[in-house]
Amino acid sequence: MEDVPLSPTADPSLQSAMTRRLLRRSVATGEISLPAVPGLLEAYVTMCANLFAALGSEFTVEQVDELRGILRDQLTEAFGASPRSEIVISYAAPVGTVLNYHVKSRWWTVEGAYENWIATREPPLFGSEPDARVWALAGEAADPRSCPILDLGAGTGRNALALARRGHDVDAVEMTASFAESIREAAQSESLAVRVLQRDIFATMDDLRRDYRLILLSEVVSDFRSTDQLRGIFELASHCLAPGGRLVFNAFVAHRAYTPDDGALQLGQQCYTTIFTQPQMAAALAGSALALVSDVSVYDYEKDHLPAGTWPPTSWYAEWVSGLDVFDVPRDQRPVEMRWLVYEKSSVPPV
């Protein structure tokens, strides 16, 4: 009996040849938006090259190099302009092997990004309760009227309004117009002692008191872009706190065994997770009138001390404060986490 010849389609090489022809008959268009992280350039290159190959247009080495250069330029431009930036990759593949693509950058100010939150997200944006750590520190004052408080980057007024209801005089500095107006309206409706200053927190100290007993920044340092801004907070607190007064803020701090590279630092800024190393924290503090008196995990403290039924404050909070918006790892393997840091101003003037 003669062997029956194999069907041509059973030959793997012919299958591949037909698949190439099939893909060349496709028509594809699309757009991809990604946060701009120059330090992860090769991830963008690999993604694009694989996608274009899947659409039947496998790039040569020279074409990949050209793509890399375009992506590098756009990523650098976008991230340099704002930590709320992205690149948009659009592509069109008509019938055949030709594929056209375009890469552009776009960005928003931090204020603009939060205005977009207000327009697109359901309140409460940051939870309904004041931070447990802030509430506990303020509660140590025997008489709230003798404990004026400065809330820098007050957001929706979640802390400022609650503290004012307790009886504290509160100054709230907030640059996002919608947030500032909502605090002002809420304070007026309840006749609360809240003075709202709509501006950047670093714009001036002329309109601030010099006898605050507590200065707080909640979910603000996570938007910083440099240690100079961190140093600016220590300088402001040194000038505006009364002797014995305290500064409290939460910040993402790298574990001692981990040194973040450029990709991690840049992705962190894109994810509201600016990362500082412990040496950077110490260097920013050097020369100020402040000393670190408490350093605790935000996740652990808030989980243990928030009122029953209010943990987590939002659906995203627990993962975010654990650093998992940047690192897709189990929580016990996180290389960074958000910490509550409390500093006290010396009652003895520096020599």
Side-chain angles (χ1 to χ4, degrees), residues 251-331:
F252 286 95
V253 182
H255 295 172
R256 289 191 181 277
Y258 172 66
T259 301
D261 60 15
D262 287 346
L265 295 172
Q266 293 162 1
L267 182 58
Q269 290 189 25
Q270 289 284 16
C271 298
Y272 303 85
T273 309
T274 295
I275 302 167
F276 292 103
T277 64
Q278 295 184 43
Q280 286 176 320
M281 300 293 295
L285 178 65
S288 77
L290 304 172
L292 180 67
V293 295
S294 177
D295 177 354
V296 299
S297 162
V298 169
Y299 181 99
D300 293 339
Y301 192 95
E302 297 300 308
K303 184 178 182 181
D304 292 344
H305 294 87
L306 280 172
T310 62
W311 171 263
T314 66
S315 61
W316 46 263
Y317 186 86
E319 285 203 353
W320 174 62
V321 300
S322 299
L324 303 185
D325 281 10
V326 179
F327 302 97
D328 184 15
V329 297
R331 186 174 178 275

Side-chain angles (χ1 to χ4, degrees), residues 92-331:
V95 172
T97 60
V98 174
L99 184 142
N100 301 308
Y101 68 89
H102 178 69
V103 184
K104 66 179 180 180
S105 57
R106 62 187 181 195
W107 56 83
W108 302 264
T109 63
V110 172
E111 180 183 4
Y114 281 119
E115 290 285 3
N116 184 62
W117 274 37
I118 296 169
T120 60
R121 300 193 181 196
E122 289 293 323
L125 298 179
F126 306 102
S128 57
E129 296 293 320
D131 291 304
R133 190 72 181 107
V134 171
W135 192 249
L137 289 169
E140 294 177 12
D143 180 5
R145 293 171 297 179
S146 67
C147 180
I149 295 174
L150 173 61
D151 186 353
L152 293 170
T156 58
R158 179 173 51 88
N159 286 307
L161 295 169
L163 293 166
R165 292 184 188 110
R166 179 189 260 173
H168 298 274
D169 286 339
V170 179
D171 286 349
V173 179
E174 174 54 48
M175 70 175 180
T176 303
S178 297
F179 286 161
E181 185 58 28
S182 69
I183 299 172
R184 190 176 292 113
E185 290 177 355
Q188 290 174 350
S189 69
E190 298 181 46
S191 299
L192 298 174
V194 179
R195 182 172 63 122
V196 180
L197 305 170
Q198 185 190 333
R199 61 170 176 78
D200 183 273
I201 62 176
F202 295 111
T204 181
M205 286 189 283
D206 293 344
D207 52 3
L208 301 179
R209 300 169 59 151
R210 298 296 186 269
D211 63 344
Y212 296 110
R213 300 299 303 177
L214 181 66
I215 295 177
L216 71 99
L217 297 91
S218 177
E219 303 177 17
V220 174
V221 176
S222 53
D223 263 332
F224 283 4
R225 301 201 77 180
S226 70
T227 52
D228 286 342
Q229 290 174 293
L230 191 59
R231 186 175 299 107
I233 289 300
F234 290 131
E235 292 174 354
L236 183 152
S238 295
H239 282 89
C240 296
L241 280 172
R246 286 174 292 186
L247 164 70
V248 58
F249 61 81
N250 45 21
F252 286 95
V253 182
H255 295 172
R256 289 191 181 277
Y258 172 66
T259 301
D261 60 15
D262 287 346
L265 295 172
Q266 293 162 1
L267 182 58
Q269 290 189 25
Q270 289 284 16
C271 298
Y272 303 85
T273 309
T274 295
I275 302 167
F276 292 103
T277 64
Q278 295 184 43
Q280 286 176 320
M281 300 293 295
L285 178 65
S288 77
L290 304 172
L292 180 67
V293 295
S294 177
D295 177 354
V296 299
S297 162
V298 169
Y299 181 99
D300 293 339
Y301 192 95
E302 297 300 308
K303 184 178 182 181
D304 292 344
H305 294 87
L306 280 172
T310 62
W311 171 263
T314 66
S315 61
W316 46 263
Y317 186 86
E319 285 203 353
W320 174 62
V321 300
S322 299
L324 303 185
D325 281 10
V326 179
F327 302 97
D328 184 15
V329 297
R331 186 174 178 275

